[in-house]
Amino acid sequence: MGCCESKLEAEISEVKEENKAQNHHSTPPLYQAPSPVPPPTAAAAAVPSFSEFSLTDLKAATNNFSSEFIVSESGDKAPNLVYKGRLQNRRWIAVKKFKKLAWPDPKQFAEEAWGLGKLRHPRLANLIGYCCDGDERLLVAEYMPNDTLAKHLFHWERQTIEWAMRLRVALYIAEALEYCSNEGHQLYHDLNAYRVLFDEDGDPRLSCFGFMKNSRDGRSYSTNLAYTPPEYLKNGRVTPESVMYSFGTVLLDLLSGKHIPPSHALDMIRGKNIIVLMDSHLEGKFSTEDARVVVNLASQCLQYEPKERPSTKDLISTLRPLQPKSDVPSYVMLGISKHEDAPPTPKRPLSPMGEACSRMDLTAIHQILVMTHYRDDEGTNELSFQEWTQQMKDMLDARKRGDFAFRDKDFKTAMDCYSQFIDVGTMVSPTVYARRSLCYLMFDQPDAALRDAMQAQCVYPDWPTAFYMQSVALAKLEMDQDAADMLNEAAALEEKRQKGGRGS
């Protein structure tokens, strides 16, 4: 899968496209983004860049879209299925499968997906890619392992959500909507309790799938019409005010622990029967004053006239002062186990490179990469006589300058020279990707380092060094279990090489 990660962020020259095809890389995307996707914020640094996925990769990740991998909870209400999957780099993903009839034009689907792919925020289950292949229309996002708000509110098995956590959910989703609104994405389609997901730390996140219409020209709401904004019933169009109405229905869910029609709830609110509205499973363990504030906010969101509803800024200014347990982790309030941080002991004995990577000893890794030079690149390129152009000579000269700088630990110069070599694209080198990956690590850029290590794996799928470099980058990104898995995989490949194989 790694081969898709870095080549979709800038325009690709004709020469680069032709030579990548010769080297069995995936085809360029149907739609080229008008400008590179901006780098992720520090809070979302572990999220990979948005890219095009191949259908083969997504089939492999989801066991050919097996019914056992379906995670969508809304059943017949949802026209599109969501699957969980795991990529070759061990990253878990969620894949939403649209019907071709919903998006007959693949270019339109790709344009919409690329626009959403720029969003990066810790309050979102961020999109990381898409796929248009034949009749398939797929979106790929971060996988959230701790179920939906609907599951925790309506179908809980161990414990219901405590009041403080409900207030946190409301605030975090308001912050997600505010961020997206500021980024030019004000329209969220069918906001409901199934769209709110909980990540590995129990923090609530808003699914980015809701920013993508169910179809280019079709319905934007798939839930019961009783919960649909009144203006949508009139003209079939979603507005920012419609999103506020839907946010109000989520507030009702949080208050009552039930999915009740807004008209019924408003009657209760007008009758000042607030206590009857509150979830009995809370057993009175909530602030009546704060509950009245939230009820009032829900009432404002559910106003019949769109102009009378609050803005996202109003939501945040109202909800932020109501957070009673800001120092308590979400997983504690949800009653779930914390994500395990400590990596298990590697299952195989490690080589010097493996040991250096397990210790994240960048100096030792550098020494090993200098010593091994380019001996593992043999056979990764087959160049014709016609390709020995002046451009080719300049490219090799850039690599040579990069090698001198890398040897002398001038990692900034090495990074620049290796980038010149890579950007031409006439020749691919797993070693160059591995070396530039280390350069990125030296400058504390683990997300870029991971992309380069994955590119090295794409060029040379069974190269242990590519897996070792991924393990270091994953560890730097605090994805410890994935880092340990990658370390074991690298050790297994080295063991295989020792028994006779390429580069041995």
Side-chain angles (χ1 to χ4, degrees), residues 226-231 241-253 255 260-267 269-270 277 294-306 308-310 315:
Y227 305 91
T228 302
E231 65 273 12
E241 293 78 18
S242 305
V243 181
M244 290 301 96
Y245 186 93
S246 296
F247 186 85
T249 67
V250 174
L251 287 180
L252 289 182
D253 293 344
L255 287 163
I260 58 177
S263 57
H264 179 55
L266 287 172
D267 288 340
I269 293 171
R270 293 188 193 101
L277 177 66
V294 178
V295 168
N296 183 57
L297 184 61
S299 178
Q300 293 175 44
C301 290
L302 295 170
Q303 290 299 304
Y304 185 84
E305 292 296 331
E308 295 180 5
R309 297 170 197 159
L315 300 181

Side-chain angles (χ1 to χ4, degrees), residues 211-444:
F211 288 103
M212 188 85 163
K213 283 175 281 192
N214 289 326
S215 67
R216 184 68 176 182
D217 301 306
R219 295 182 303 160
S220 292
Y221 282 81
S222 58
T223 54
N224 190 301
L225 293 179
Y227 305 91
T228 302
E231 65 273 12
Y232 181 80
L233 296 176
K234 289 181 181 179
N235 55 38
R237 291 164 59 183
V238 179
T239 66
E241 293 78 18
S242 305
V243 181
M244 290 301 96
Y245 186 93
S246 296
F247 186 85
T249 67
V250 174
L251 287 180
L252 289 182
D253 293 344
L254 291 167
L255 287 163
S256 67
K258 297 181 287 290
H259 201 40
I260 58 177
S263 57
H264 179 55
L266 287 172
D267 288 340
M268 297 172 69
I269 293 171
R270 293 188 193 101
K272 302 186 184 301
N273 204 356
I274 293 176
I275 298 301
V276 175
L277 177 66
M278 297 301 293
D279 187 354
S280 60
H281 294 108
L282 288 170
E283 299 177 340
K285 297 176 182 176
F286 59 89
S287 163
T288 304
E289 182 180 345
D290 289 352
R292 290 186 184 279
V293 173
V294 178
V295 168
N296 183 57
L297 184 61
S299 178
Q300 293 175 44
C301 290
L302 295 170
Q303 290 299 304
Y304 185 84
E305 292 296 331
K307 63 182 180 181
E308 295 180 5
R309 297 170 197 159
S311 67
T312 53
K313 286 185 173 60
D314 295 330
L315 300 181
I316 292 172
S317 63
T318 302
L319 292 167
R320 187 166 283 160
L322 304 183
Q323 305 301 309
K325 292 186 177 181
S326 57
D327 57 335
V328 178
S330 294
Y331 71 89
V332 173
M333 287 196 281
L334 274 184
I336 61 175
S337 300
K338 179 167 170 49
H339 176 67
E340 181 60 52
D341 292 327
T345 304
K347 299 174 183 176
R348 291 178 173 84
L350 296 175
S351 65
M353 181 64 164
E355 289 287 353
C357 291
S358 69
R359 301 192 309 270
M360 290 192 285
D361 186 341
L362 301 187
T363 300
I365 296 171
H366 170 256
Q367 292 173 344
I368 293 169
L369 290 178
V370 169
M371 289 171 56
T372 54
H373 200 55
Y374 286 89
R375 72 184 186 196
D376 287 328
D377 277 21
E378 183 181 351
T380 58
N381 292 279
E382 295 180 5
L383 300 173
S384 66
F385 176 77
Q386 287 79 7
E387 288 177 299
W388 285 97
T389 61
Q390 183 60 46
Q391 184 186 47
M392 184 71 179
K393 293 175 183 175
D394 292 342
M395 181 184 66
L396 291 174
D397 183 58
R399 189 181 76 172
K400 188 175 182 179
R401 294 196 309 273
D403 291 340
F404 284 131
F406 187 80
R407 182 196 63 190
D408 296 337
K409 300 183 180 180
D410 182 358
F411 297 110
K412 178 64 172 66
T413 300
M415 189 189 306
D416 292 342
C417 292
Y418 288 146
S419 294
Q420 292 177 34
F421 173 87
I422 290 169
D423 290 344
V424 172
T426 305
M427 183 178 177
V428 289
S429 165
T431 297
V432 167
Y433 278 118
R435 288 182 169 207
R436 193 174 72 167
S437 177
L438 181 66
C439 293
Y440 280 128
L441 289 171
M442 290 293 186
F443 286 95
D444 196 26

Side-chain angles (χ1 to χ4, degrees), residues 140-245:
V140 184
E142 297 179 284
Y143 177 66
M144 302 289 110
N146 283 309
D147 296 317
T148 65
L149 176 61
K151 177 74 177 291
H152 286 277
L153 272 179
F154 311 139
H155 311 292
W156 52 278
E157 297 170 359
R158 286 178 292 180
Q159 66 179 62
T160 189
I161 304 180
E162 65 173 274
W163 177 244
M165 188 64 194
R166 298 185 193 209
L167 292 174
R168 181 173 297 181
V169 169
L171 174 61
Y172 279 22
I173 300 313
E175 289 176 344
L177 292 172
E178 167 73 357
Y179 162 76
C180 293
S181 179
N182 291 339
E183 293 296 312
H185 293 277
Q186 294 180 297
L187 305 184
Y188 195 93
H189 304 271
D190 205 6
L191 175 61
N192 57 60
Y194 293 99
R195 303 282 200 181
V196 180
L197 313 168
F198 293 93
D199 65 18
E200 63 273 9
D201 294 319
D203 287 327
R205 301 219 213 169
L206 182 63
S207 168
C208 264
F209 290 151
F211 288 103
M212 188 85 163
K213 283 175 281 192
N214 289 326
S215 67
R216 184 68 176 182
D217 301 306
R219 295 182 303 160
S220 292
Y221 282 81
S222 58
T223 54
N224 190 301
L225 293 179
Y227 305 91
T228 302
E231 65 273 12
Y232 181 80
L233 296 176
K234 289 181 181 179
N235 55 38
R237 291 164 59 183
V238 179
T239 66
E241 293 78 18
S242 305
V243 181
M244 290 301 96
Y245 186 93

Side-chain angles (χ1 to χ4, degrees), residues 107-119:
K107 184 178 179 182
Q108 287 183 332
F109 183 82
E111 287 175 347
E112 189 92 0
W114 266 104
L116 297 176
K118 297 178 183 180
L119 298 174

